[in-house]
């Protein structure tokens, strides 16, 4: 069974939701038969790469809330993250464009390191003091190498703005086609969708239901026919 997760590194509920989903997946009896794929979704695609600002400033301007309201929201998110065993800095974080991170996640997917990289990026953005936005490409290189990617490969992608760009855009178009207007958005076997950072129990229910409703193989049997198996191939006898 395949689970696709549309998310953005700048989304705190994606950070929390991933932890809740993984808690449910860990308890799922068929977890070793579940493939998890991370898909791209930018919350702020129009923001220029160099446009970095404090999270509180971004929230007050984007949502029209006061600084006190924005800070209260961050404190609530910190408590939600702590309940899942996650570190979360409620003050001093910044916000910027995540397009390059999504491109690197597609590079990581090609090397089987996607989950490692997205977890490292989440932690760097939400829990560490150093910014993932304002320190330039070498910060992203450092984080990608920590996930197991080759530094030269990472620099090559960052130096070429077209590298994996089509993959990111394709993910985002697909999200729109599926009706996802926010993240995190979980799609199980292209049959069930779960929106938002739901409790682990909801993910457990969704996994169980999706597993139980997988389409069984329909065998069209036209009688004995030649084929190959563990003991070799049938050889015609003349």
């Amino acid at each position: 069974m395949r689970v696709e997760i549309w998310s953005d590194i700048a989304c705190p509920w994606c950070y929390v939701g991933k932890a809740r989903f993984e808690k449910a997946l860990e308890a799922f009896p068929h977890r070793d038969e579940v493939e998890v794929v991370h898909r791209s979704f930018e919350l702020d695609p129009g923001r220029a790469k160099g446009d970095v600002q404090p999270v509180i400033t971004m929230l007050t301007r984007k949502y029209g809330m006061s600084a006190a309201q924005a800070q209260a929201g961050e404190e609530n998110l910190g408590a939600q993250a702590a309940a899942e065993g996650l570190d979360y800095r409620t003050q001093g974080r910044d916000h910027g464009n995540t397009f390059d991170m999504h491109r690197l996640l597609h590079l990581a997917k090609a090397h089987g390191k996607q989950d490692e990289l997205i977890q490292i990026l989440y932690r760097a953005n939400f829990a560490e003091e150093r910014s993932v936005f304002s320190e330039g490409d070498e910060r992203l290189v450092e984080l990608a190498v920590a996930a197991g990617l080759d530094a030269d490969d990472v620099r090559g992608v960052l130096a070429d703005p077209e590298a994996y760009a089509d993959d990111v855009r394709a993910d985002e178009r697909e999200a729109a086609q599926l009706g996802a207007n926010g993240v995190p958005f979980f799609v199980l076997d292209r049959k069930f969708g779960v929106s938002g950072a739901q409790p682990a129990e909801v993910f457990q229910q969704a996994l169980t239901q999706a597993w139980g409703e997988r389409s069984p193989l329909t065998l069209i049997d036209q009688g004995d026919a030649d084929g190959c198996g563990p003991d070799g191939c049938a050889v015609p006898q003349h």
Side-chain angles (χ1 to χ4, degrees):
M1 184 169 71
R2 170 180 282 198
V3 178
E4 297 162 279
I5 307 173
W6 272 264
S7 59
D8 192 9
I9 301 303
C11 165
W13 287 116
C14 296
Y15 179 47
V16 173
K18 182 176 186 293
R20 291 176 177 172
F21 170 76
E22 288 176 345
K23 183 181 294 184
L25 184 61
E26 180 63 27
F28 186 55
H30 309 285
R31 62 185 179 277
D32 293 337
E33 298 174 72
V34 177
E35 176 192 13
V36 178
V37 179
H38 296 282
R39 302 291 193 190
S40 299
F41 190 108
E42 295 172 276
L43 290 172
D44 203 354
R47 182 177 292 272
K49 181 177 178 178
D51 183 6
V52 180
Q53 62 184 170
V55 166
I56 299 300
T57 301
M58 179 274 293
L59 292 172
T60 58
R61 292 179 179 176
K62 187 172 184 177
Y63 300 108
M65 60 179 65
S66 68
Q69 289 172 322
Q71 185 58 50
E74 284 294 285
E75 297 294 340
N76 175 58
L77 280 162
Q80 297 279 349
E84 304 303 328
L86 301 172
D87 292 330
Y88 190 98
R89 294 179 64 225
T90 59
Q91 297 182 352
R93 291 194 307 108
D94 57 13
H95 175 80
N97 182 285
T98 57
F99 187 61
D100 282 348
M101 297 181 212
H102 286 294
R103 295 195 301 120
L104 290 180
L105 283 166
H106 279 279
L107 170 68
K109 180 184 176 184
H111 291 275
K113 299 291 184 181
Q114 194 183 41
D115 194 71
E116 289 87 343
L117 179 57
I118 198 168
Q119 190 61 34
I120 284 173
L121 290 173
Y122 276 143
R123 178 170 179 80
N125 184 39
F126 292 109
E128 297 179 5
E129 291 189 13
R130 294 178 59 192
S131 172
V132 297
F133 299 108
S134 63
E135 292 193 22
D137 287 352
E138 282 305 304
R139 173 64 168 149
L140 296 183
V141 172
E142 173 191 326
L143 295 170
V145 168
L149 296 178
D150 179 79
D152 290 337
D153 289 345
V154 176
R155 291 190 181 98
V157 169
L158 293 173
D160 177 5
E162 297 303 316
Y164 295 103
D166 288 345
D167 299 87
V168 176
R169 298 307 183 208
D171 278 357
E172 293 173 336
R173 286 194 300 271
E174 198 163 15
Q177 292 166 2
L178 291 169
N181 54 16
V183 285
F185 188 69
F186 301 77
V187 176
L188 292 78
D189 259 1
R190 289 299 170 108
K191 290 184 178 180
F192 300 93
V194 179
S195 180
Q198 300 286 347
E201 294 76 15
V202 173
F203 289 121
Q204 289 172 350
Q205 181 182 356
L207 287 166
T208 300
Q209 186 173 358
W211 183 266
E213 296 192 19
R214 289 173 304 143
S215 297
L217 179 68
T218 300
L219 180 64
I220 300 175
D221 191 351
Q222 296 292 334
D224 293 336
D226 294 332
C228 298
D231 297 324
C233 298
V235 178
Q237 301 295 319
H238 299 290

